[in-house]
Amino acid sequence: MEMLERVKKRIPDAMLKDEVLEEYISTISDRLCLRLGVGALPNLFESICVDAVVKMYRRAYYEGISSEGAANISTTFVDDVLSEYAQEIGDWKTQQANVGGSGKVVRFL
């Protein structure tokens, strides 16, 4: 199933156009690829991408709040929507290093 369709299922009431949701997907996918050290998002990380896109979308509606005060109205948002997945990213990178699947190839012509 395409990631856009998965995101729409998670936030069915979204008033955003597909182009905006696709931009969110591209942004999260790019950030995941950078952290993973790969050129294309591995299928295993599509669920994390969808999850993070939903968080990114909801952040605009105050669902990304990590703390909030009442008297002086102080609100703090989570800075990095991917920080929650640091363990999975680290485990995957370790596994790839152990099996030699870093995706880096040297070719001699």
Side-chain angles (χ1 to χ4, degrees), residues 29-43:
S29 180
D30 291 347
R31 289 179 182 175
L32 276 170
C33 286
L34 286 170
R35 291 182 191 205
L36 294 169
V38 297
L41 189 67
N43 290 341

Side-chain angles (χ1 to χ4, degrees), residues 23-25 27-28 31 51-61 81:
E23 176 58 28
Y24 285 0
I25 291 168
T27 299
I28 295 296
R31 289 179 182 175
D51 226 23
V53 167
V54 170
K55 289 177 185 183
M56 183 183 250
Y57 166 77
R58 289 183 173 161
R59 179 185 287 183
Y61 298 100
V81 295

Side-chain angles (χ1 to χ4, degrees), residues 62-77:
Y62 300 99
E63 291 191 29
I65 296 174
S66 63
S67 67
E68 184 175 33
N72 294 330
I73 306 177
S74 171
T75 303
T76 305
F77 286 90

Side-chain angles (χ1 to χ4, degrees), residues 2-5 7-8 11 16-32 41 49-50 52-57 81-82:
E2 188 180 334
M3 279 196 276
L4 177 60
E5 296 306 315
V7 169
K8 286 176 160 184
I11 46 175
L16 295 176
K17 295 180 180 179
D18 287 0
E19 296 82 27
V20 175
L21 292 175
E22 287 172 349
E23 176 58 28
Y24 285 0
I25 291 168
S26 291
T27 299
I28 295 296
S29 180
D30 291 347
R31 289 179 182 175
L32 276 170
L41 189 67
C49 185
V50 169
V53 167
V54 170
K55 289 177 185 183
M56 183 183 250
Y57 166 77
V81 295
L82 293 176

